[in-house]
Amino acid sequence: MSKATIYNVALKAGVSLATVSRTLNNPEKVKKETRDRVMNVIEELGYKPNAFAKGLASRRSTSVAVVVPDMSRSSIAEMVNGVAVEAKKYQYSLILYVLKDENRGEAEMLKEVVASQADGILYMNDEINEEQYAMLNTIQEDYKVPIVLANTLYPYDNKLVTVCIDYFKAGYEATNRLVQEGRKNIYMLTTARKYMVNDLKEAGYIKAMKEAGLETNIIRTSGDITVNTVHFNELFKDQGKKIDGVIAVRDSIAVSFINTMIEKGKKIPKDISVFGFQNTKYASLSRPKLSCVDIPIIDIGAKAMALLKKEIDGEHIEQKFNVLHHDIIERGTTIK
Amino acid sequence: MSKATIYNVALKAGVSLATVSRTLNNPEKVKKETRDRVMNVIEELGYKPNAFAKGLASRRSTSVAVVVPDMSRSSIAEMVNGVAVEAKKYQYSLILYVLKDENRGEAEMLKEVVASQADGILYMNDEINEEQYAMLNTIQEDYKVPIVLANTLYPYDNKLVTVCIDYFKAGYEATNRLVQEGRKNIYMLTTARKYMVNDLKEAGYIKAMKEAGLETNIIRTSGDITVNTVHFNELFKDQGKKIDGVIAVRDSIAVSFINTMIEKGKKIPKDISVFGFQNTKYASLSRPKLSCVDIPIIDIGAKAMALLKKEIDGEHIEQKFNVLHHDIIERGTTIK
DNA sequence: GTGAATTAAGGTGGTACCGCGGTTAGTTTA
DNA sequence: TAAACTAACCGCGGTACCACCTTAATTCAC
């Protein structure tokens, strides 16, 4: 009973191929009795339409390509979870492309994505630059493949549908909380690599500092925690460096900073207040628990998938740029 | 320049369809000059063979299905990273199936996997039971779809190719370290849900405890850290409960336990030694840094993919059960 | 008011594709 | 004369359009 084809089903149910196809794709166009009979046979034979044949004939794959930079980043993984749940609603399958250690150009990979016949592309690479954005645009236009950016954005243009939060505002708000606590020497810890979203957090931080008449201090460090721990030790070796507040672009960076400082005898939050970004498990597992910007990352994934589905179905999306709501969570690393 | 077909290429290169097909699939059968000419046109038109047509005609998809329980688990995400890197070598694409919140039976999902025409299945669901194992076997046999289990196993049988580490041994070794420290009241913290690999860690723990003539204490808690923190608080409310050592089946559980205890005034590792499992980022971000069993999770993913590829290519795999090496890492939560 | 004719709509079957791989037999090239 | 290539066709398993057949409802002629 390896593989039942539509032909087997038709034969056994005593109907034509067309009718079987219709019972599956346009059930309302088939009389109930016939439909039931066909469905029974389908059940009996364990028939599932061959995805290739279906794709070839219909020119639709009911699958979307999911492009991610690196699965091991907690935010990416959570987002994929959200995408998966939403995709299931539409019976869409996910084709995964992990860019990590990708040495061929991204262009090559995107061509592959197109060749895979995916009905749409969910682009989650936050390390996006002008060139890539242009490429994505070309693909969307030339190949008519809808693209949605999830938790990433290209702020200088908005031809592509985007789901994100207002990272600028979040950075601004988090910084302001520390300013309101009376902190004067507030640092921003960000990644050495240029992620668009981190640039926005940084811009928000700068704005808040400027408004408060404070001096900005931006430290670019590695996303790798073993590396940045060393870095922090180096940086704050001389106790002369005044620091009483920190905004980190990732929870993990915030936590490794906290650990470094506590080992140096600093009190958190008495001496230094710390804010993270994302509200990952790292934040809950930190001691004290990390205050952070809560980002609805699962919702971003789900919303992005939902919008992509709409685009695929040809619906016009009036709102290209979709901003989801974020929260500021105060826990143990800031003073209420 | 939307979609070039093999026909366009043939026309422009002045050859027949057959020759184009050969250049791509059996290049050695085509004279170099012709081949070069065809390749140039392919490049020029940006031609990529239609995956559906190719799959339909060749009955191979050059894609594998990756079945995971939940992307947000750090071990799963890392493993997928490993799979992705290896898959890229073979130009295989990944179709992702996330079981999380799956309410239809898993049988239904597996049928879908088969219908997707994947050439093979990478099964990473560690919540495997007898029924599922039987189902996987049926699929492998009836549909001739190779299956590899990655970081999960079914210890009562070994028809399916498996890549794992010796969790029994790891549990045994970790427990022994604590015994050698002189710990007497060593608890195992495991998940309430039945994961096969956790059962093995538990069995290893029990063996070591028995050998040392110590009493076993097994606490089943949630994988959700907000829940288990409450649980730990409840359990160890009465200070009468003696406890001086802990083996946790996941790093995250270990860390939340540590946090709970330290808040109660316990010293780690002076009063209680703690061991985790996996060596995730949680372990490095814990304070003190978590001692744990280091599991080569990326390698497991890569190895599983490599074996699957072999199976797909029809090579016989003599070694069905593949055990990768693990390490015991001693850091700050145990006494050297 | 009745039976016949027309129409509409619902249900079903027939079949040309979709783009490629593989085979065969025949043709050209070195 | 072998090697390299062409031409033609089938098959893969579906989809979707179009055409056809029912059946029921409506209109019509008488």
Side-chain angles (χ1 to χ4, degrees):
Chain A
M1 76 156 315
S2 68
K3 49 199 166 181
T5 73
I6 195 171
Y7 186 76
N8 306 138
V9 176
L11 197 68
K12 186 151 188 179
V15 296
S16 73
L17 301 186
T19 302
V20 178
S21 176
R22 257 184 306 246
T23 36
L24 288 172
N25 302 313
N26 298 89
E28 73 283 359
K29 292 192 175 176
V30 179
K31 195 166 40 165
K32 186 163 186 328
E33 302 163 46
T34 321
R35 199 168 55 206
D36 289 348
R37 188 154 41 104
V38 173
M39 287 308 280
N40 282 337
V41 175
I42 286 177
E43 183 74 21
E44 202 175 323
L45 295 178
Y47 167 73
K48 280 272 179 183
N50 178 304
F52 287 149
K54 187 169 180 167
L56 190 57
S58 67
R59 278 111 161 228
R60 299 170 28 87
S61 63
T62 57
S63 73
V64 301
V66 180
V67 179
V68 304
D70 174 2
M71 270 327 289
S72 74
R73 276 170 49 197
S74 160
S75 57
I76 302 293
E78 291 278 10
M79 197 153 43
V80 171
N81 256 351
V83 170
V85 170
E86 189 70 17
K88 217 170 280 171
K89 290 187 195 164
Y90 316 127
Q91 308 258 53
Y92 266 62
S93 59
L94 305 178
I95 308 175
L96 189 66
Y97 290 87
V98 182
L99 295 174
K100 192 175 165 66
D101 303 327
E102 178 74 46
N103 29 26
R104 307 167 305 164
E106 197 174 317
E108 191 59 26
M109 191 233 39
L110 283 172
K111 258 165 73 180
E112 209 177 287
V113 171
V114 172
S116 80
Q117 305 297 114
D119 290 343
I121 300 175
L122 275 173
Y123 194 81
M124 301 185 170
N125 181 17
D126 43 8
E127 210 171 344
I128 192 173
N129 58 33
E130 191 179 354
E131 193 186 345
Q132 278 154 26
Y133 186 79
M135 202 149 57
L136 290 174
N137 253 307
T138 307
I139 287 176
Q140 172 154 290
E141 281 166 20
D142 288 1
Y143 298 96
K144 309 291 176 211
V145 184
I147 299 178
V148 171
L149 304 186
N151 200 36
T152 179
L153 76 175
Y154 189 73
Y156 313 118
D157 186 16
N158 65 339
K159 286 188 197 143
L160 298 179
V161 172
T162 302
V163 181
C164 209
I165 74 151
D166 189 338
Y167 282 105
F168 176 83
K169 188 176 167 213
Y172 178 77
E173 288 171 353
T175 309
N176 260 345
R177 296 282 176 120
L178 297 194
V179 170
Q180 280 157 24
E181 277 185 13
R183 303 298 184 177
K184 302 292 181 198
N185 297 291
I186 305 170
Y187 280 59
M188 159 143 280
L189 308 182
T190 184
T191 49
R193 299 179 76 157
K194 294 296 265 183
Y195 295 101
M196 198 55 84
V197 294
N198 288 353
D199 289 353
L200 290 173
K201 296 171 194 170
E202 186 180 318
Y205 158 81
I206 291 174
K207 185 187 178 205
M209 293 299 275
K210 288 260 163 73
E211 283 182 7
L214 297 173
E215 200 180 325
T216 60
N217 296 288
I218 295 169
I219 291 176
R220 302 189 184 283
T221 185
S222 167
D224 184 331
I225 49 176
T226 59
V227 176
N228 69 32
T229 299
V230 175
H231 191 190
F232 294 149
N233 262 313
E234 185 64 24
L235 270 171
F236 301 103
K237 196 164 45 185
D238 49 334
Q239 298 292 326
K241 208 157 204 158
K242 282 179 205 153
I243 175 167
D244 59 9
V246 158
I247 310 283
V249 295
R250 287 187 195 166
D251 286 345
S252 57
I253 294 177
V255 174
S256 71
F257 175 81
I258 290 170
N259 287 340
T260 309
M261 288 302 118
I262 288 184
E263 276 163 22
K264 287 195 180 306
K266 297 278 188 188
K267 303 285 183 200
I268 307 283
K270 186 167 164 289
D271 301 332
I272 309 175
S273 284
V274 180
F275 250 108
F277 256 94
Q278 196 80 44
N279 196 16
T280 53
K281 282 189 196 167
Y282 304 123
S284 312
L285 287 174
S286 155
R287 196 177 71 251
K289 286 194 172 52
L290 185 66
S291 297
C292 62
V293 177
D294 178 47
I295 292 168
I297 195 73
I298 297 177
D299 295 345
I300 292 178
K303 173 93 178 179
M305 179 65 221
L307 286 174
L308 186 58
K309 164 71 172 160
K310 276 195 178 180
E311 269 200 287
I312 290 171
D313 291 346
E315 292 182 39
H316 177 70
I317 296 182
E318 61 297 336
Q319 182 80 17
K320 292 254 181 189
F321 202 83
N322 298 271
V323 178
L324 297 195
H325 181 256
H326 64 265
D327 277 315
I328 306 282
I329 299 185
E330 302 242 19
R331 288 196 278 226
T333 61
T334 50
I335 296 166
K336 274 271 169 57
Chain B
M1 76 158 312
S2 68
K3 51 199 166 181
T5 73
I6 195 171
Y7 184 77
N8 307 137
V9 176
L11 196 68
K12 187 152 188 178
V15 297
S16 73
L17 301 185
T19 304
V20 179
S21 175
R22 255 175 309 213
T23 5
L24 288 172
N25 302 313
N26 297 91
E28 73 284 358
K29 292 192 177 174
V30 179
K31 195 168 38 163
K32 186 166 185 325
E33 303 163 40
T34 321
R35 200 167 55 204
D36 288 348
R37 188 155 40 102
V38 172
M39 287 308 279
N40 281 337
V41 175
I42 287 178
E43 184 72 22
E44 202 175 323
L45 294 179
Y47 168 74
K48 283 267 179 183
N50 180 302
F52 289 149
K54 186 170 179 168
L56 193 55
S58 68
R59 276 103 170 260
R60 298 171 32 87
S61 64
T62 57
S63 74
V64 300
V66 181
V67 180
V68 304
D70 175 0
M71 272 325 294
S72 73
R73 275 170 50 194
S74 160
S75 57
I76 302 292
E78 291 278 10
M79 197 154 41
V80 171
N81 255 351
V83 170
V85 170
E86 188 71 17
K88 217 170 280 171
K89 291 187 195 164
Y90 316 126
Q91 307 257 54
Y92 265 62
S93 59
L94 305 178
I95 309 175
L96 189 67
Y97 290 87
V98 182
L99 295 173
K100 192 177 164 65
D101 303 328
E102 178 75 45
N103 29 26
R104 306 168 304 165
E106 197 174 316
E108 191 59 26
M109 192 235 36
L110 284 172
K111 259 164 72 179
E112 212 177 284
V113 171
V114 172
S116 80
Q117 304 299 113
D119 291 342
I121 301 176
L122 275 173
Y123 194 81
M124 303 185 169
N125 181 17
D126 44 8
E127 210 171 346
I128 193 172
N129 57 35
E130 190 180 356
E131 194 187 344
Q132 278 155 26
Y133 186 79
M135 204 150 56
L136 290 173
N137 253 308
T138 306
I139 287 176
Q140 172 154 291
E141 282 166 20
D142 287 2
Y143 298 96
K144 310 288 176 213
V145 183
I147 299 177
V148 171
L149 304 186
N151 199 35
T152 178
L153 76 175
Y154 189 74
Y156 313 117
D157 186 17
N158 65 340
K159 286 187 196 145
L160 297 180
V161 172
T162 303
V163 181
C164 209
I165 72 151
D166 190 339
Y167 282 104
F168 176 82
K169 188 175 166 212
Y172 178 77
E173 289 171 353
T175 308
N176 261 344
R177 295 284 175 119
L178 297 194
V179 170
Q180 280 156 24
E181 276 184 15
R183 302 299 184 176
K184 302 292 178 197
N185 297 290
I186 305 170
Y187 279 60
M188 159 144 279
L189 307 183
T190 184
T191 48
R193 298 178 77 158
K194 293 296 262 182
Y195 296 101
M196 198 56 83
V197 294
N198 289 353
D199 288 353
L200 289 173
K201 296 171 193 171
E202 186 179 319
Y205 159 81
I206 291 174
K207 184 185 179 205
M209 293 298 275
K210 288 258 163 75
E211 282 183 8
L214 298 173
E215 200 181 326
T216 61
N217 295 288
I218 295 168
I219 292 177
R220 303 189 183 283
T221 185
S222 167
D224 183 332
I225 50 176
T226 60
V227 176
N228 68 32
T229 300
V230 174
H231 190 191
F232 294 148
N233 261 313
E234 185 63 26
L235 271 171
F236 302 104
K237 197 164 46 186
D238 49 334
Q239 298 292 326
K241 208 156 206 160
K242 281 180 205 151
I243 175 168
D244 60 9
V246 157
I247 311 281
V249 294
R250 288 188 195 164
D251 285 345
S252 57
I253 294 176
V255 174
S256 71
F257 174 81
I258 290 170
N259 288 340
T260 308
M261 288 302 118
I262 289 184
E263 275 163 24
K264 285 193 181 310
K266 298 277 189 189
K267 303 285 183 201
I268 307 283
K270 185 167 164 288
D271 300 333
I272 309 176
S273 284
V274 180
F275 250 109
F277 256 95
Q278 194 82 47
N279 195 17
T280 53
K281 283 188 195 166
Y282 304 124
S284 312
L285 287 174
S286 154
R287 196 177 71 254
K289 286 194 173 52
L290 186 65
S291 297
C292 61
V293 177
D294 178 46
I295 292 168
I297 195 75
I298 297 178
D299 296 345
I300 292 178
K303 172 93 179 179
M305 180 64 221
L307 286 174
L308 187 58
K309 165 71 173 160
K310 277 195 177 180
E311 269 201 288
I312 290 171
D313 292 346
E315 292 182 39
H316 178 68
I317 296 182
E318 61 297 335
Q319 183 79 18
K320 293 256 181 187
F321 202 83
N322 298 271
V323 178
L324 298 195
H325 180 255
H326 64 266
D327 278 314
I328 305 283
I329 299 184
E330 301 241 19
R331 289 195 278 226
T333 60
T334 49
I335 296 167
K336 275 269 170 59

